């Protein structure tokens, strides 16, 4: 539209002459807006520490400051140990859920006492900076003893759940996944995939 309009007359408003003279710069405004808001969101996510940063694993971990890497690695080790204890102590079944966009989600399923697979089931959706491994043994047992199945899972990027590969590369998928954290559509797909597994 800017290029199709005639050259402004000398007595045209100053703003219109500026728009016509620098029209190509205006084409970049939406791109620059998206880039800087995405970058600002990523910086704020580092401060707020969502689960995908707090429980980070994979190639992008090396991009963080050394002190933060050590803290995250220590946290990941403790969480992995707790995951194994939770599964062993409560007789859970580890499963891998696959979302429609190719993300593999780490999950654990507990069958309720006397319950069929299509019987009543609790699906717990984690809060911010939460992983299912941090749950107490009482949570699944409380429902299983009453004949209710339980499914706990981690969202993409949290714990053993990965990111969707991009162009066949987990590395690029990890970086792009972090760039868009938290992306509501991805979290909704994760929840939908967990529920779809039960149907």
């Amino acid at each position: 539209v800017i290029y199709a309009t005639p050259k402004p007359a000398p007595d045209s408003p100053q703003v219109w002459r500026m728009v016509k003279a620098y029209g190509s710069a205006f084409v970049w405004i939406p791109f620059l807006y998206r880039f800087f808001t995405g970058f600002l969101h990523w910086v704020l996510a580092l401060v707020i520490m969502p689960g995908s940063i707090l429980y980070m694993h994979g190639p992008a971990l090396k991009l963080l400051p050394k002190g933060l890497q050590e803290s995250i690695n220590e946290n990941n080790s403790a969480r992995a140990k707790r995951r194994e204890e939770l599964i062993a102590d409560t007789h859970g079944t580890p499963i891998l859920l696959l979302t429609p966009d190719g993300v593999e989600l780490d999950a654990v399923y507990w069958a309720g006492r006397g319950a069929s697979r299509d019987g009543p089931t609790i699906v717990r959706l984690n809060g911010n900076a939460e992983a299912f491994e941090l749950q107490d043994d009482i949570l699944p047992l409380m429902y299983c003893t009453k004949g209710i199945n339980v499914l706990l899972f981690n969202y993409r990027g949290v714990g053993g759940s990965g990111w969707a590969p991009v162009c066949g590369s987990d590395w690029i998928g990890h970086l792009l996944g972090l760039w868009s954290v938290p992306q509501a559509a991805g979290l909704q797909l994760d929840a939908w995939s967990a529920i779809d597994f039960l149907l």
Side-chain angles (χ1 to χ4, degrees), residues 142-183:
M142 175 174 62
Y143 292 108
C144 289
T145 55
K146 293 182 174 36
I148 300 172
N149 304 319
V150 178
L151 176 68
L152 302 179
F153 72 98
N154 286 328
Y155 292 111
R156 58 189 64 210
V158 175
S161 298
W163 296 102
V166 174
C167 299
S169 169
D170 291 334
W171 169 241
I172 296 171
H174 192 128
L175 289 177
L176 289 177
L178 289 174
W179 177 261
S180 60
V181 169
Q183 187 180 17

